[in-house]
Amino acid sequence: MEVISRRKILTMLGAAPLAGALLAQASEDQHAAHQEQGEKRDWADLSPRQTLQQHFFPNVPLRTHENKEVRFYDDLIKDKIVTINMMYTNCKDLCPMLTANLARVHKLLGEHGRRIGRDIHMYSISLDPEHDTPKVLKQYVKVQKVGPGWTFLTGAPKDIEFLRRSLGYEDPIPWRDKNKENHAGMVRYGNEPLTRWAMLQGMAKPKLIVELIESSVFA
Amino acid sequence: MHLLKYVLDKRALAALRRRQEIVKAGLSRRDLIKLGLLTSTGMLIKEFRPPDAWAQFGGGGGGGGDFQGFRLCNSPATTPFMEQMPIPPVNVATVLSPAPQAAPNTAAGEGRTLTHQAFNTFPFQKQYAVTQKPGTAVMHPQLPTQDIWGFAAGTPSTAGNPTAPGVTYVAKYGEPILVRNYNQLPAANGGFGLNSVTTHLHNGHTPAESDGGPCMFFGTNKFYDHHYPNVLAGVLSTHQAQGGDINEAMSSLWYHDHRVDFTAQNVYKGLHGHYLLFNQFDTGDEGTGFRLPSYPQFDIPITFNDKCFDPQTGKLFFDLNNIAGILGDKFLANGKIQPFFPVAARRYRFRCLNTGPSRFVQFFLTKVGDPTSTQKPKMWQISNDGNLLPKPVLVNSFRMGVAERVDVVIDFTGFSGQSFYFENRLKQTDGRGADGGQVLGAGQGINQMRFDVGAPAPDGSADPATQKFYALPSTTATPRITRTFEFSIGQGSQWTINDQLMDCTDTRFRVQKNSVERWRLINNANGGFWWHPIHIHFEEHQVLSIDGHAPSATELIQNGRKDVLRLEAGTTVDLFFRFRDFQGSYPMHCHNVVHEDHAMLLIFDIAATGDNQTRP
């Protein structure tokens, strides 16, 4: 953890708010000037789906555990109902439990008549892409007895990092953010065409997880 | 379930130990603050961090103040104070068809599943219809017209364009009402929101089936009858002869969507409104009772919140993938960005409510053009969470976490021709909480709205310096049980309460109806200094102690009767409860609605017999 000197703290406490206020004032002044000139703004005509895609679902290239290249938005998200979680094969404690819990969810969804890989897609994205090659993920799928229609994904570290942050697997505290295990608990779930997205606790009871998915993202 | 046991984070343990070492070393709070090691609210400065360099949505924004930080939005610039603050419309009574009934009217399309427990005990005297539907709103004239969801008066066939805040209820103690709540929300949500809803009356003394708990949601094209008895706590138990304990009277409530996993989105989209509750003392007429400023001319409900707008489309934007807490960079009052509000030079009552989604606010009156001036109207805090204090307290400022309400009386007498801001000076750079409670200098915060003082007007309201309201109910009764709840962040950033995760399908513990309990709430700050506004449904509590000290009754008031506790980082708070009159399932949860949706929440039962779990 970084140690910050008292002087530095005082500098930050003193100077930052003033700078912020000045910037804001400048922005307001500038804006008022535009206003007086009767400026009309042209707003972009983007659909809610397009807005969400831009903010949250980058079309980065990824590789599946079957070593197939896919694009995140085009191939995995678009027109689909999905669950997404993050994990890594070297995570000894939480990730195996999470995968086991989601395997129960997989089974329960099946019992509800949902076809995994068609009606709903399950994705697990590696937080450790350098180690988790498609081959390593394939082995993990085998050992963890992961059911069909559930895809494990890896990719270039910079793409994975961008994807992680876009999907909200990040923490405002830098030292917490650096710990991969902090990002391996929550499950994002959603219905892309209906722009319905939420997040649930991956270790919640499978019955609850299935109820939340059924009542929230299936139209 | 052994899988759900978590260990305390090592760093949190280290932080706690550091704190204990300092205490052992005999350094006083004052010493520590002087040394720069502790902030005024007790946060060790070692955890202070500079604003995060990375912010996906830019940073800054046109709102003003030092608000750079984590995942901030980057809304288009807007000129402040262009429009007048509106006051939401009031609902009027109607006659419902089919007539309301105790059992769920499933055949007619009711989504309720439980029978009203007090339908015959407190027969409704008035009926209201309200419809949740999509609509449009102008939040600022320089932004495009916004698509909202809101509560509009009337049935689906009579309801007009909804507003956000939605229609206000003006209710009276002793006059039970029934609200038929129609869900006409569409599947197309415009980017966020879910058309499966449950409406919570925060914090009515309401039977569980009408409370609007997170897991009692109902679908579109259905309705739900809420029975609001409008009774004082104790009415069926400790104070039967008196018709309830008058010292438990509440004044300023609100209602909002509470749908599990989607509360933040749905409230942000506009599904919230005010619910005012009058009685023989708080009459709404300044000529009678406590002589508080008359409703509606001089008694004004104000909803405060902050929002983001997409810089390209100018449309309301919700950061779906932010799980720390969402901070907007546009600041609204009653649905308008930075509005002005004309007042006469006399006393007003403002019923302030913070609907978040995540921000803590602390409002000061600041003179326009002269921020450090001390020549400004007197401000009296008269309530805490909408419940009148024993007497008005003269304050410089008041603080509200999400869902907290504060009523103030401001005396504009003698200030004709001048203007004053409600300036939020509480610094906050990310969704975790206010930055150690740091208050910015006058003029460096956010001017959320402006009061423009006009000519004097007759004022029949009482001088707050002479007013007395209700005594605080006694807290000396011996609790049947003391329960401890530890709020934390567990493995994989999953929120926990006592190391357990949320569950809609089960209740965590059972409170005995008509008993006294003491609850100890601990924010162990595991993993980094989060603040949590904790809301407990159904009964108002009183704070017995915060870290062993009595709650403040003067500035940043924490005493009085409350239903949201600002559980600041690293604190331990003891609460006194009486659970009276009704029964069923109620939740306790963090009301940073982003934390709530990710699921810092538990459900407990009130039943004929209680259990003895001390750490449920």
Side-chain angles (χ1 to χ4, degrees):
Chain A
M1 197 183 311
E2 60 194 310
V3 178
I4 300 169
S5 75
R6 187 163 182 272
R7 175 178 293 179
K8 197 169 167 197
I9 288 167
L10 290 176
T11 311
M12 280 191 284
L13 296 185
L18 187 60
L22 287 174
L23 273 177
Q25 188 55 49
S27 152
E28 284 181 6
D29 288 350
Q30 189 186 24
H31 190 74
H34 285 273
Q35 200 54 31
E36 277 165 25
Q37 291 156 15
E39 184 197 50
K40 279 265 177 210
R41 292 187 222 183
D42 289 322
W43 300 110
D45 187 22
L46 294 175
S47 71
R49 276 178 88 176
Q50 288 169 315
T51 303
L52 262 55
Q53 181 197 343
Q54 284 191 5
H55 281 287
F56 303 123
F57 306 121
N59 206 19
V60 292
L62 298 173
R63 281 200 173 270
T64 72
H65 66 274
E66 302 286 4
N67 201 22
K68 188 179 153 203
E69 182 168 323
V70 289
R71 289 274 170 174
F72 182 67
Y73 179 76
D74 284 348
D75 299 325
L76 303 182
I77 301 297
K78 193 181 172 194
D79 297 326
K80 293 181 175 62
I81 291 174
V82 304
T83 69
I84 305 166
N85 74 291
M86 300 201 79
M87 46 66 70
Y88 53 108
T89 61
N90 269 337
C91 151
K92 297 298 178 212
D93 186 17
L94 177 60
C95 305
M97 292 196 301
L98 180 62
T99 304
N101 204 47
L102 294 179
R104 289 183 211 111
V105 171
H106 182 283
K107 185 161 172 279
L108 265 180
L109 281 168
E111 287 167 15
H112 278 233
R114 302 293 180 190
R115 296 163 302 172
I116 321 298
R118 296 186 67 178
D119 302 328
I120 181 167
H121 301 257
M122 294 175 72
Y123 303 123
S124 296
I125 303 168
S126 173
L127 287 156
D128 186 10
E130 281 169 10
H131 177 268
D132 290 343
T133 59
K135 203 172 152 191
V136 171
L137 288 178
K138 182 153 191 170
Q139 183 62 21
Y140 186 82
V141 163
K142 204 183 280 174
V143 171
Q144 295 285 319
K145 299 190 177 71
V146 168
W150 179 356
T151 308
F152 283 67
L153 295 144
T154 185
K158 68 168 180 24
D159 290 334
I160 293 281
E161 179 70 358
F162 185 55
L163 185 57
R164 169 174 83 83
R165 290 185 181 277
S166 300
L167 291 173
Y169 289 91
E170 60 176 342
D171 196 292
I173 310 159
W175 64 260
R176 275 189 57 87
D177 194 60
K178 283 198 191 95
N179 181 353
K180 288 196 281 287
E181 198 161 315
N182 284 331
H183 309 304
M186 302 296 286
V187 176
R188 192 159 288 297
Y189 64 110
N191 177 326
E192 193 276 336
L194 283 180
T195 58
R196 282 185 191 167
W197 292 94
M199 211 174 199
L200 52 80
Q201 297 181 320
M203 291 305 299
K205 283 184 191 161
K207 185 177 163 225
L208 173 68
I209 294 178
V210 171
E211 278 190 19
L212 290 171
I213 292 172
E214 287 286 344
S215 66
S216 305
V217 296
F218 283 105
Chain B
M1 221 173 132
H2 73 282
L3 290 180
L4 300 181
K5 295 290 175 203
Y6 298 107
V7 287
L8 249 176
D9 186 288
K10 275 183 197 146
R11 280 167 195 276
L13 276 174
L16 285 173
R17 250 182 249 126
R18 265 207 309 279
R19 218 185 150 103
Q20 284 156 4
E21 278 163 14
I22 289 168
V23 171
K24 267 193 217 148
L27 291 171
S28 72
R29 270 177 83 82
R30 207 187 173 85
D31 290 336
L32 291 172
I33 292 168
K34 246 163 98 181
L35 288 168
L37 287 171
L38 192 75
T39 69
S40 57
T41 53
M43 192 171 131
L44 279 172
I45 211 79
K46 192 144 191 176
E47 298 297 332
F48 185 89
R49 75 271 174 269
D52 199 326
W54 191 92
Q56 184 175 353
F57 303 107
D66 170 35
F67 284 79
Q68 295 194 347
F70 177 81
R71 278 188 95 97
L72 290 188
C73 45
N74 187 17
S75 303
T78 51
T79 308
F81 314 115
M82 286 183 71
E83 283 196 296
Q84 183 170 332
M85 181 183 79
I87 295 171
V90 173
N91 208 347
V92 291
T94 184
V95 177
L96 298 167
S97 173
Q101 58 184 53
N105 194 347
T106 314
E110 180 163 17
R112 180 166 55 103
T113 58
L114 299 168
T115 297
H116 291 305
Q117 61 184 280
F119 197 72
N120 297 321
T121 319
F122 302 110
F124 62 83
Q125 295 174 23
K126 282 186 177 164
Q127 310 167 47
Y128 293 90
V130 73
T131 300
Q132 303 185 50
K133 58 184 285 197
T136 58
V138 174
M139 296 184 184
H140 194 282
Q142 293 164 335
L143 294 176
T145 299
Q146 304 294 331
D147 302 309
I148 61 161
W149 287 356
F151 286 88
T155 63
S157 56
T158 64
N161 189 47
T163 55
V167 66
T168 298
Y169 294 89
V170 179
K172 277 188 209 149
Y173 272 105
E175 193 175 87
I177 67 170
L178 191 131
V179 176
R180 180 160 294 171
N181 184 351
Y182 294 93
N183 177 358
Q184 291 285 300
L185 297 169
N189 64 4
F192 60 94
L194 184 67
N195 61 348
S196 156
V197 291
T198 166
T199 309
H200 171 48
L201 177 59
H202 182 140
N203 193 43
H205 194 63
T206 309
E209 63 281 358
S210 290
D211 179 61
C215 306
M216 293 183 178
F217 47 85
F218 65 106
T220 192
N221 295 318
K222 292 190 182 297
F223 69 86
Y224 196 112
D225 281 356
H226 295 266
H227 177 226
Y228 300 138
N230 294 328
V231 288
L232 295 162
V235 66
L236 297 178
S237 52
T238 52
H239 294 71
Q240 268 181 300
Q242 302 94 319
D245 184 355
I246 188 63
N247 293 328
E248 294 283 5
M250 305 173 76
S251 296
S252 303
L253 295 80
W254 68 297
Y255 63 90
H256 63 86
D257 186 60
H258 208 317
R259 191 357 171 121
V260 61
D261 280 10
F262 287 85
T263 297
Q265 299 178 37
N266 281 356
V267 174
Y268 192 90
K269 219 167 168 65
L271 295 177
H272 58 87
H274 294 270
Y275 186 105
L276 317 182
L277 194 43
F278 291 100
N279 68 6
Q280 69 272 35
F281 300 112
D282 186 0
T283 59
D285 175 356
E286 63 194 36
T288 61
F290 293 142
R291 294 178 50 218
L292 285 161
S294 288
Y295 180 84
Q297 301 95 320
F298 308 111
D299 174 353
I300 314 289
I302 312 179
T303 293
F304 294 100
N305 45 39
D306 47 282
K307 294 183 188 295
C308 300
F309 295 83
D310 186 278
Q312 295 181 78
T313 64
K315 292 277 193 180
L316 189 60
F317 176 77
F318 182 89
D319 186 358
L320 288 162
N321 290 0
N322 181 345
I323 63 171
I326 296 171
L327 299 183
D329 63 357
K330 293 293 165 189
F331 304 93
L332 292 85
N334 282 350
K336 293 284 185 190
I337 295 171
Q338 293 179 293
F340 61 86
F341 188 68
V343 291
R346 54 151 288 157
R347 290 186 199 98
Y348 279 77
R349 174 186 193 169
F350 297 104
R351 303 182 191 238
C352 303
L353 158 69
N354 174 13
T355 67
S358 299
R359 193 182 286 279
F360 291 78
V361 298
Q362 186 171 342
F363 285 121
F364 293 74
L365 278 176
T366 301
K367 186 171 177 178
V368 175
D370 189 3
T372 54
S373 172
T374 54
Q375 300 299 305
K376 51 190 186 184
K378 278 186 179 164
M379 179 160 72
W380 304 82
Q381 181 167 344
I382 61 167
S383 84
N384 208 354
D385 282 346
N387 307 317
L388 292 175
L389 292 163
K391 60 179 187 182
V393 181
L394 193 60
V395 292
N396 285 314
S397 68
F398 58 94
R399 187 178 282 185
M400 294 188 290
V402 182
E404 284 190 292
R405 288 89 67 213
V406 168
D407 290 18
V408 289
V409 168
I410 299 178
D411 191 348
F412 295 107
T413 307
F415 291 94
S416 291
Q418 299 184 35
S419 292
F420 299 89
Y421 297 126
F422 252 160
E423 183 188 13
N424 172 22
R425 286 166 50 188
L426 191 61
K427 190 179 176 201
Q428 184 162 3
T429 48
D430 63 50
R432 280 184 298 159
D435 296 6
Q438 192 195 136
V439 173
L440 300 168
Q444 294 185 358
I446 284 156
N447 299 321
Q448 191 140 359
M449 67 172 292
R450 190 184 71 200
F451 297 104
D452 296 331
V453 188
D459 189 348
S461 71
D463 178 357
T466 66
Q467 274 176 310
K468 278 199 166 43
F469 305 128
Y470 311 113
L472 283 177
S474 164
T475 55
T476 55
T478 306
R480 190 185 77 82
I481 185 170
T482 297
R483 303 187 200 262
T484 300
F485 301 95
E486 194 163 342
F487 294 80
S488 188
I489 190 162
Q491 278 188 306
S493 300
Q494 300 172 100
W495 296 116
T496 59
I497 304 175
N498 286 347
D499 301 333
Q500 293 180 67
L501 304 177
M502 190 269 274
D503 190 357
C504 262
T505 64
D506 200 8
T507 51
R508 189 77 76 80
F509 60 99
R510 215 167 54 244
V511 169
Q512 185 167 314
K513 188 165 101 170
N514 300 330
S515 74
V516 172
E517 296 206 357
R518 178 195 285 241
W519 288 13
R520 171 165 291 185
L521 272 49
I522 300 171
N523 180 348
N524 75 8
N526 183 8
F529 294 88
W530 302 82
W531 286 27
H532 302 295
I534 303 297
H535 174 42
I536 298 125
H537 284 217
F538 184 59
E539 275 283 7
E540 303 304 287
H541 60 253
Q542 286 187 61
V543 177
L544 296 171
S545 67
I546 300 176
D547 284 347
H549 302 289
S552 168
T554 51
E555 196 76 40
L556 306 186
I557 295 172
Q558 287 271 37
N559 84 329
R561 297 163 290 128
K562 287 184 62 61
D563 47 62
V564 182
L565 173 78
R566 292 192 303 272
L567 191 61
E568 299 183 2
T571 56
T572 295
V573 180
D574 281 4
L575 305 177
F576 178 93
F577 279 100
R578 288 176 188 277
F579 294 94
R580 284 173 283 193
D581 309 325
F582 302 123
Q583 58 189 38
S585 297
Y586 297 91
M588 164 163 73
H589 60 90
C590 179
H591 220 302
N592 176 334
V593 280
V594 175
H595 298 177
E596 172 182 342
D597 281 347
H598 296 117
M600 196 175 225
L601 190 151
L602 64 72
I603 293 170
F604 65 94
D605 256 347
I606 302 174
T609 56
D611 67 23
N612 295 315
Q613 296 187 68
T614 54
R615 199 175 183 277

